[in-house]
Each structure stands twice: as C-alpha cells, then as structure tokens.
Amino acid sequence: MPKRSSLPSLLFSMAALFTASLSLAADKVNFQLDWLPGGDKSPIYVGIDQGFFAEVDIEVRINQGRGSTEAITRIATGTSDIGIADIVALLQARAADNVPVKAVYSLLSQAPHAFVVKKEAGIQSVADVKGKKVATSPFTSSNIFLPLLLEKNGLKESDITLVKTDPGALGPMLITDATDVVISWLTSVDRYRSQAKQAGTELDVIPWYDAGLEFYATSVIASERFLKERPDVAKRFLSAFHKSVEFAFANPDMAAKAVNKKVPEADIPTAITTINSMRTLVYNSVSEKDGIGTITPERLQLTWQATAKAQNLNVTDFDPESVVDRRFYMEQ
Amino acid sequence: MKPFVCFNKVSHQYQSNTTHKVQALTDINFHINKHEFVAVVGPSGCGKSTLLKLITGLMSPSEGSVEIFGKTMHEPRNEVGIVFQKPTLLPWLSVLDNVTFPLKHQHGKVASEAKQYAMTLLKLVGLEQFAHQRPAQLSGGMQQRVGIARALILKPEILIMDEPFSALDALSREIMGFELLRIWEEEPKTVLFITHSINEAVLLADKVLVMSPRPGTVVEELPIDLPRPRNNTTLKHEKFAYYADILRDHIFQKHAALNE
Amino acid sequence: MNKALHRYLPILALLALIPLWELICYLANVPNYILPRPSVIYDAFINVDKMRWLEHLWATVRVAVLGFLLSIFISLPLAVLMVQSSFLNRTLFPLLVIIQSTPVVAIAPLLIVILGAGEAPRLAITCLITFFPIVVSTTTGMLSTPSELIDLSRSLKGSVFRQIWQIRFPFAIPHIFSGLKVGITLAIIGAVISEFVAAEKGLGYFVQFSTSYFKIPQAFAALLFLSIISLLLFQTIRWIQAIFFAWSLPAEEQK
Ligand SMILES: Nc1ncnc2c1ncn2[C@@H]1O[C@H](COP(=O)(O)OP(=O)(O)OP(=O)(O)O)[C@@H](O)[C@H]1O
Ligand SMILES: [Mg+2]
C-alpha cells in the first residue's frame, strides 16, 4: 500500500535532509539591533561584510529594532539570540522581571548623554547650566539621569527650566535661542552642528561622563537559552564581534559602506560621522584600562547605582552581577 | 364545501416588553370561501396586519385557531401568497428574477419552466417588456405589480394583500384596483385584501369585514352585492354609495362612541 | 462646466496647490526641517533609487491589502453572527469597541512577541485597525433589510443561510462598501503604524528611517507616496462597486 508508507518515508527523508543541512551549514545566529541601522550599528555589518563571522563558521541574520526594551524582549522570547541594547534597560528589566537575558560584552563604556549649547552662550560645564532653559525630547533615556547629573554638580531640578518637545524641534529651538541647552546623544550631535552651520553659528558639547556620570551604556546581550545551548557559538561570535568593532573604528568609511550595502537608506557620509562621533564612547580611559568589551564589577555597580537612583529603586534589593555572564568573552 | 380560511375565537397579544402586554386582537370569528374576495377595513392600529400574519402562519394566535382548508395553521405554507404594503423588491435582481425569487429562495434554483411561468405572470400584470430591467427603473405602481406577480409565482390558493396600493397616488390606485380585479378574474384566487379605503373595499370585495379600534375585533361582516365584472360604472351604481355609507357609519360610530 | 474638466477637477485642485506651497515656503522662508518645499521634496524623491521606492511601496501595499482582505474575511462572518444572534450582538459588541479603542501601538510589542517578527504582526495590526468600520457597517446594513423581506423569507421557510446570502447580505452591500471605503484608508494607516513598530521595509519604515536621521524632505516624499496609494486604493474600491454592484450606488452616481 503506497499510501500508507509514503507519509512516514517522506518524514524520514525530510528529517534526514534537515540533519544533513544542519551538519553541513554554518551556525546560524539571529542578531538583534536596538534601533534602525546606521553608523552606530556598523560593527556587525562590517564584520559580516569582511567575513569575520564566516571565518568562525557563523552565519548572522540581522533583525532591526525599535528601542532597547523591545530588543531585550525579542531576545528574551527567542526571536533573536544575541544583540545590542542599553545595559541600563537590561538592569531595569532584570530587576523588575528577571528576564532570561544576560550582558556578555560592553560596547559603550561611557554613556552618550550630553548637553549641546551655542558656543557664544559661554556655558562650559554642567554647573553653568544653572538658571538656563533646557530642552529635551519626551522619550529619551537621558531624561532619567538628568536629576542625578544635576545633583552631582551641586544643582537642583528647580535650578533649570526643563521643556520637553518633539526631537525635530530641538535644533531649531537652540538656533533661535528659544532654549539655551539641548539634551542629546553624542551620536546625534552632528545633526545640530549642521543645522547651526546653516544658521551661521557654532555649537559646544558637554558630555555627561565628564561631569560625574560614569557608567556603561550599549552592550551585547544574549538570551540565557542561547548561552546555555550553544556556548561555543556564543564564544566564537563574540570574538568575531570584537574584531568587527576594532575594524569599524579603524576603517569608518568601510564600515559605513558595509551598512549602506545592506541598508541603502543609511547613507554613507552620515554613517561615517556617527561612527566618528561615538569613538570616544568606545575608546576612552575606561576601555584603555579594562579593555573593550570587559564589564568590571566596580563599574557595573556604578551603573546599577545610577540606574537605581534615577528610577527610585532600592540599590541593595538587586545584585547587578546577576545580569552579566563573563564566561563567553575573554580579552585576547 | 368547507370554508378556505376560518378564524375561530382568535385573540392575539403582543408581549411588547417583559411587563407590558398589548392586546391586538380579541375574539375574531369569520370565514372566507373559495375564490371569495374579502376586504378588511378598520382604523389604524386595530390589528389588520396582525390578522395577516396569523393567516400566513408567520405567527400563531395566543388563543383560538386559524384554519386553512380545514387544517390548523402551524407554520407558513406555499398556498398563501403575500403582497406587502411597499413593493420591497430586491434592487439587485431583474424584474424577472424578482418574480422567481420565492422559488430561488426555497429551492436554490429556478427551472426554465418556472421562468416561462414568471413571464406569463408578467404578461398578466402587463410588464412583459420590463422583464429584464431593474426595479429602480420602474414606477411605484409597476413595482407593486411585480410584487403581485411574485406573490403568484408559487400558485397560491390564497392571496393576502396588506394595503398594497396605499403607497400609490390616487389615480394609479384606482387603475391598480381594476387591474387587480382583471387579474383575479383571469386567475381566480381567494383574496384577503386589507385597506384603509372604504371605496376600494366596496369596489373590489364580495364581503367587507369592519374592525373596531384596538383591541380589534370584527364588528360587521357586510356582503357587497354589486354585479361583476366591476369597472368604472360600478362606482356610479346606485348601491355603491349605500354600501360605502354603511361602512362609514360603522367605522365612525365606533370612533364617536369612544370619544364620548 | 465642461465634463472632462469637471472630472479632473480634484486632480487639478491638488496640482494647483503645489506652486502655492512652494511660494508660501519661499516667501515665509520656512526651513526644510519644518516644512520642505515641493522642489526639495522632489529632489529627495529622485535621490532615492527607483527600485528602493518600488520595494518600499510594494511592502506597504502588500501589508495594507492583505491586512484589509484579512479584516474583510473576519468582519463579514462576525457581522453575520451578530445579526443572527442578539446574544452575540450584546456580548461581542462591547468587546469589539474595547478592541477598537485600544491604541494598537500600545499592544504592538505584545503582538510581535506572540506572532513573531515576520509579516504576521503587521497583518494583525492592520487588521485590528481596519475591521471595526467593516463590522459595524455590515451589521447595520444587514439589520436595515426591510422586515417585509424577512417575513417573505420566513413565509417561504427559507433556510437561515439563504436568508443571509440572498436577502440580508445583498441588502447590506451599499453599507458594506461605505465600510470598505473607510477601511481601506485605515489599512494604509495600519500598515504604516505596523512598520513603525516592526519592519525592515515599507514606506512607514522609510518615513521612520528618514525622520530619525532628520531627512525631512525624504520623509515627505514617502508621505506623498502614501497619500497617492490611499487615493488609488480608495478609488479601486469605488471602481469595484461601480462595476460589480452598480445597483447599490445612489442614483446620481450611476451613469
Ligand atoms: N411586534 C409587536 N409588538 C408589540 N405590539 C405590536 C407588535 N406589532 C403590532 N403591535 C401592536 O398591535 C396593534 C395592532 O398592530 P397592527 O400592525 O396589526 O395594526 P394595523 O391595523 O395593521 O395598523 P395600520 O393600519 O397602521 O397598519 C398596535 O397597537 C401595535 O402597536
Ligand atoms: Mg398594518
């Protein structure tokens, strides 16, 4: 009876095909971005383009994202295996929900938050912001650290006038003196610079890390399941990723081109500018001391303290060490 | 011979909401013989449409029984055809398909003989040239004729008409009255004809039932002894005004009595 | 007025707006990041490769149309159920209102978690935004069937299926089409929202990409594209009605 035997035999041959393809093909890894592609995401693109992942027998698929929280959720639910997100968001998520996601590599050892001011305004430090108008967009994660920053610099929240407004309006407001200060990420400062240039003025940037806010930001995070089931793949991935990071900052134009090749919407000049503007967040005194990628207990504790303070959480309620797994990335 | 339609002590109540009941009909008794043309007149709200629904079997009376061919009605039957107050044709179907619609609705398809018969009916109501037009292209009177043809397609023995010409202007209404008589003489049927118009009742019917205001009951059964075929000259017949006056008296006396 | 002129009047009115727009922006010196001028939008438009435009366009139209079809597929049976059963009508309607008034953006991340990262959550979002007007208009249409016809159907002892299929449903066609016309414009909005939340292609994604890199003229070019698609899809629904259901149009729209 051919009818009866056909289904099992079909299943059998499919299974055989499947296992065969598994044993032949490279390890597949789904990589999650925390936002749309651009220069700041270039390491993963240039790593693929340069064949760094292929060298270690890994095939990477990139999933674009819409924010750190979403990236963490997608990794936690298994849509992606590994990806990037702000470690602050991960600390919050684990403190609240114990999501099965761990940080395995630190990409930005300094947070990107900064004040942008007009050069002529004469604002040189955070303390100078006293009595000024400060504009920010409603949803940026910078807002939660603002009170802490003011406190560390001897200011009170009442010392400034804070305005929340659409991100698109921030640049124009600064140029037309509708506000004295704009809160921005270092990676976006160039937008304001070019707007200011059109209007014939120049800008100054005051990074918050220079004013006492010392903590980690964007990190590589992975699902506990991925780390448990494919530890070897995770190790190989991180070594290739590290290589990609170094390559991207050594060759910004190639990195920008690699992004543009996959995602034509991301234009090359903008991507190069972004890569250069984030360089200090990766290459700085912290990474010089600890090495890029390393997450030290001390600095992690600082990060958690800042997070807990900003979010009104009890610092002792949660051990930040539970968020990290250091077994997968070792500095070469 | 047994009567075709027979109402025995029929009363009907509507449950308008959980507590409130409306007594629409009380103690209705009458019968209609084969191929008799019976008109029902009465003030608005006296229960004429309720009466119709009971004959068609769409409802069962709260009390008493409605018999057709000597059998109690429990559910709708093909022997009863209905013509509504408004033509209510289906605008997406041609005139011909509207006429055959009851067959389509009952059996899912329409045999070609049935189509032929529908054409015969359209000829009978004078609309054979309009068979393939849409209802929207027809006048109100023409639409109502399609409604009549639709009611006849299942070859009913009994034809129920609920104020079929009330939506028409006075002139078309008169013409349609004579048309109906002509159709009735070509295809004899037992007809129950509900109307507001006393003249229409006298002109068309063999017998007129007069109903009282709610709760409705039959207060008078008046045989109309006018010669057939009836036509324009019937209106001038000496007894025409006489019958109309009797009916008028019945309807308005009742009203007067209520108003006192 | 000349008949052809009358017909193309809406398009001419839109075209006349363009120089006006250009002029106002020029005179008032409106910066491009607030309201770009048409000429700047045009430049941004031709700066993007045609194939890219087509790809984004196709992705959005695909989600909008498939989501719209899906919502029809769900709405019509739902409307039938609600017309047939007053119990379902009373229990389902509040539920539908709740679903409709929930901001889809708020539950979108949830949908992605449940449905995965593929096209499914996008279709679900579009469908969620679209189905309500279709259900409501279909239900209203079916309930507006003259009671005489329902009596006729009952006197013929027609089955429930035929009562719906041969009487109630066709009677609801004019209402259904009003619902579909509202629905198709919402479908575009739904597709765009879904692309804001999860997509790597599509005009909504492109708008988001452009605004997040402050390429406002490019975003406007995509927005104009979206308006054109909305108009075309809306017109398509009207054509379908005019060709297949001409009887359901009001007398002055029938030619
Ligand atoms: N479904 C119903 N529920 C409750 N009451 C009803 C219902 N249908 C009719 N009635 C009531 O029953 C009474 C008789 O109604 P019916 O429609 O039979 O009157 P009618 O003589 O046909 O009136 P008209 O001449 O205006 O058509 C009215 O008082 C009406 O309010
Ligand atoms: Mg009535």
Side-chain angles (χ1 to χ4, degrees):
Chain A
M1 272 209 263
K3 231 188 170 169
R4 258 177 79 184
S5 60
S6 64
L7 185 65
S9 71
L10 185 74
L11 281 176
F12 180 79
S13 53
M14 271 170 66
L17 213 70
F18 187 64
T19 43
S21 69
L22 265 187
S23 58
L24 283 174
D27 292 300
K28 289 195 172 65
V29 170
N30 280 308
F31 187 83
Q32 181 67 47
L33 300 183
D34 58 351
W35 189 245
L36 301 170
D40 47 338
K41 323 292 176 216
S42 61
I44 189 76
Y45 286 96
V46 80
I48 296 169
D49 192 52
Q50 293 294 316
F52 298 157
F53 293 98
E55 275 167 22
V56 293
D57 213 18
I58 288 176
E59 193 186 317
V60 184
R61 206 199 105 87
I62 299 173
N63 295 321
Q64 301 185 16
R66 299 292 190 284
S68 285
T69 316
E70 197 233 4
I72 293 169
T73 312
R74 285 175 69 164
I75 291 171
T77 52
T79 314
S80 299
D81 306 308
I82 191 166
I84 46 173
D86 194 334
I87 198 165
V88 168
L90 181 62
L91 281 163
Q92 286 178 50
R94 285 212 62 133
D97 260 354
N98 205 27
V99 290
V101 177
K102 295 243 179 184
V104 290
Y105 178 99
S106 160
L107 180 60
L108 304 191
S109 43
Q110 294 285 17
H113 318 292
F115 284 145
V116 181
V117 295
K118 267 184 170 176
K119 223 175 202 125
E120 68 215 41
I123 301 172
Q124 255 125 44
S125 69
V126 172
D128 294 343
V129 167
K130 186 167 180 165
K132 303 289 185 194
K133 276 188 252 170
V134 179
T136 181
S137 84
F139 301 114
T140 170
S141 64
S142 308
N143 294 346
I144 64 165
F145 294 112
L146 181 64
L148 190 66
L149 175 84
L150 295 174
E151 195 193 304
K152 293 216 167 187
N153 289 273
L155 297 178
K156 293 191 298 293
E157 279 180 71
S158 55
D159 286 335
I160 60 162
T161 317
L162 189 68
V163 188
K164 291 188 178 167
T165 181
D166 185 80
L170 293 174
M173 279 176 77
L174 188 64
I175 291 159
T176 57
D177 293 315
T179 184
D180 305 307
V181 182
V182 157
I183 297 178
S184 161
W185 281 18
L186 287 168
T187 44
S188 315
V189 164
D190 279 288
R191 263 170 233 157
Y192 303 122
R193 283 229 164 88
S194 67
Q195 286 177 0
K197 208 167 163 192
Q198 280 176 31
T201 105
E202 276 188 81
L203 302 180
D204 261 344
V205 179
I206 305 166
W208 292 3
Y209 58 74
D210 281 345
L213 282 200
E214 288 273 339
F215 51 78
Y216 291 124
T218 306
S219 306
V220 177
I221 62 171
S223 74
E224 286 179 359
R225 190 168 140 202
F226 171 67
L227 296 177
K228 184 161 171 266
E229 288 174 2
R230 300 196 282 164
D232 176 54
V233 178
K235 277 181 195 156
R236 279 186 278 137
F237 180 90
L238 284 175
S239 74
F241 186 79
H242 181 75
K243 198 167 168 187
S244 308
V245 171
E246 301 206 299
F247 187 88
F249 287 98
N251 309 281
D253 51 334
M254 286 175 87
K257 275 185 195 137
V259 180
N260 178 263
K261 199 162 125 191
K262 276 268 177 64
V263 188
E265 285 75 26
D267 70 276
I268 297 170
T270 311
I272 294 176
T273 315
T274 311
I275 296 169
N276 288 328
S277 64
M278 71 186 282
R279 186 182 300 274
T280 54
L281 303 176
V282 180
Y283 291 91
N284 48 41
S285 54
V286 179
S287 60
E288 211 153 279
K289 183 161 74 61
D290 304 330
I292 294 172
T294 309
I295 303 172
T296 65
E298 300 74 39
R299 197 173 174 78
L300 181 64
Q301 186 64 37
L302 281 180
T303 309
W304 166 237
Q305 276 166 7
T307 307
K309 187 106 201 253
Q311 294 285 330
N312 267 329
L313 303 170
N314 198 337
V315 179
T316 52
D317 276 358
F318 174 74
D319 177 14
E321 277 301 302
S322 65
V323 168
V324 217
D325 200 329
R326 297 196 180 80
R327 290 172 297 168
F328 299 94
Y329 176 68
M330 259 100 24
E331 225 200 320
Q332 277 86 18
Chain B
M1 197 176 69
K2 272 201 173 174
F4 257 43
V5 179
C6 190
F7 272 58
N8 295 317
K9 295 187 181 130
V10 170
S11 294
H12 193 78
Q13 281 182 340
Y14 284 108
Q15 189 86 36
S16 63
N17 55 43
T18 42
T19 53
H20 200 71
K21 281 182 181 165
V22 178
Q23 187 76 35
L25 297 174
T26 37
D27 197 27
I28 304 268
N29 293 290
F30 68 86
H31 58 82
I32 307 173
N33 291 322
K34 183 174 183 182
H35 294 177
E36 206 173 9
F37 196 125
V38 174
V40 179
V41 290
S44 187
C46 69
K48 303 182 294 290
S49 298
T50 308
L51 197 77
L52 173 143
K53 285 199 173 150
L54 294 175
I55 303 182
T56 54
L58 290 170
M59 290 192 317
S60 293
S62 321
E63 280 165 55
S65 67
V66 178
E67 286 168 17
I68 288 193
F69 314 130
K71 279 188 237 134
T72 305
M73 278 289 268
H74 291 296
E75 52 166 12
R77 303 165 57 151
N78 281 356
E79 288 89 345
V80 182
I82 312 171
V83 179
F84 299 98
Q85 183 163 357
K86 285 175 278 166
T88 54
L89 302 177
L90 305 168
W92 57 92
L93 295 180
S94 69
V95 165
L96 182 66
D97 290 339
N98 262 287
V99 174
T100 54
F101 180 77
L103 291 164
K104 174 114 184 175
H105 197 62
Q106 224 163 32
H107 308 296
K109 58 177 190 290
V110 181
S112 61
E113 306 91 76
K115 281 219 171 116
Q116 232 121 49
Y117 181 55
M119 281 308 289
T120 322
L121 289 175
L122 281 176
K123 199 173 280 170
L124 180 70
V125 298
L127 287 178
E128 70 267 42
Q129 317 95 290
F130 295 93
H132 299 290
Q133 310 229 2
R134 288 273 158 83
Q137 294 160 295
L138 269 55
S139 73
M142 290 155 101
Q143 291 188 23
Q144 195 52 286
R145 291 190 221 195
V146 179
I148 295 172
R150 177 176 71 187
L152 293 174
I153 189 79
L154 293 175
K155 302 183 181 164
E157 291 292 333
I158 302 165
L159 194 59
I160 315 272
M161 308 177 94
D162 190 3
E163 304 184 36
F165 307 142
S166 65
L168 305 181
D169 60 279
L171 199 63
S172 325
R173 185 169 185 155
E174 216 161 274
I175 296 168
M176 285 299 288
F178 291 122
E179 274 290 284
L180 177 62
L181 284 179
R182 181 183 59 76
I183 293 164
W184 178 65
E185 260 139 36
E186 278 183 42
E187 291 255 332
K189 302 275 174 209
T190 307
V191 178
L192 187 79
F193 187 93
I194 291 169
T195 178
H196 269 120
S197 159
I198 291 170
N199 282 358
E200 201 170 60
V202 176
L203 179 66
L204 300 177
D206 295 319
K207 182 162 85 187
V208 179
L209 304 178
V210 182
M211 289 182 69
S212 68
R214 196 163 60 96
T217 188
V218 177
V219 288
E220 170 74 15
E221 251 189 85
L222 182 70
I224 308 289
D225 192 14
L226 289 171
R228 289 193 188 273
R230 295 184 188 167
N231 46 39
N232 267 326
T233 54
T234 316
L235 291 166
K236 295 171 209 134
H237 197 278
E238 64 215 279
K239 280 163 90 182
F240 187 92
Y242 162 75
Y243 285 125
D245 279 343
I246 298 181
L247 292 177
R248 210 158 277 128
D249 283 350
H250 270 292
I251 293 169
F252 290 112
Q253 256 167 31
K254 260 288 189 263
H255 272 293
L258 275 179
N259 287 342
E260 265 163 28
Chain C
M1 199 189 281
N2 179 311
K3 211 175 173 185
L5 188 65
H6 186 82
R7 186 163 182 175
Y8 293 110
L9 202 59
I11 301 174
L12 289 176
L14 281 176
L15 289 178
L17 217 62
I18 294 175
L20 197 69
W21 176 356
E22 180 88 30
L23 194 71
I24 290 175
C25 285
Y26 176 75
L27 291 178
N29 203 11
V30 181
N32 279 334
Y33 46 79
I34 292 178
L35 180 65
R37 283 182 271 156
S39 55
V40 177
I41 297 174
Y42 180 75
D43 285 344
F45 168 71
I46 49 174
N47 266 338
V48 176
D49 184 51
K50 273 191 204 67
M51 281 319 288
R52 297 302 296 172
W53 276 122
L54 277 182
E55 239 178 285
H56 290 308
L57 191 77
W58 168 239
T60 303
V61 169
R62 188 184 144 86
V63 169
V65 170
L66 285 181
F68 179 66
L69 292 178
L70 187 68
S71 79
I72 295 179
F73 200 72
I74 293 170
S75 302
L76 297 188
L78 209 61
V80 169
L81 284 179
M82 294 206 310
V83 167
Q84 280 316 109
S85 149
S86 67
F87 171 76
L88 281 181
N89 196 344
R90 303 235 307 264
T91 48
L92 278 181
F93 229 100
L95 198 73
L96 297 188
V97 173
I98 290 172
I99 295 178
Q100 173 66 13
S101 49
T102 309
V104 178
V105 184
I107 56 165
L110 205 73
L111 286 173
I112 295 165
V113 170
I114 299 169
L115 296 171
E119 202 166 39
R122 261 169 280 161
L123 293 180
I125 289 169
T126 308
C127 185
L128 275 176
I129 289 187
T130 318
F131 84 103
F132 192 71
I134 305 181
V135 174
V136 172
S137 59
T138 310
T139 321
T140 314
M142 295 196 358
L143 288 176
S144 73
T145 310
S147 63
E148 287 93 342
L149 284 175
I150 302 307
D151 281 348
L152 177 68
S153 166
R154 287 180 49 216
S155 78
L156 294 167
K157 289 182 277 180
S159 65
V160 175
F161 173 78
R162 283 195 191 135
Q163 193 187 98
I164 290 166
W165 185 243
Q166 296 183 345
I167 298 177
R168 281 198 191 273
F169 204 71
F171 245 103
I173 290 283
H175 288 86
I176 294 177
F177 269 95
S178 338
L180 294 183
K181 284 177 204 163
V182 178
I184 192 74
T185 50
L186 287 177
I188 290 289
I189 295 176
V192 168
I193 289 180
S194 76
E195 286 166 359
F196 279 177
V197 182
E200 308 198 348
K201 241 179 216 119
L203 288 172
Y205 167 82
F206 190 73
V207 167
Q208 194 184 33
F209 212 107
S210 307
T211 52
S212 82
Y213 285 93
F214 282 77
K215 295 178 181 169
I216 308 300
Q218 194 173 289
F220 265 86
L223 286 177
L224 288 182
F225 244 126
L226 281 169
S227 323
I228 293 170
I229 301 174
S230 285
L231 278 172
L232 286 181
L233 288 177
F234 183 83
Q235 200 58 42
T236 309
I237 301 282
R238 288 183 56 175
W239 280 328
I240 291 175
Q241 185 175 15
I243 291 167
F244 296 104
F245 303 97
W247 58 267
S248 69
L249 289 166
E252 65 260 32
E253 280 188 45
Q254 289 180 24
K255 276 164 278 167

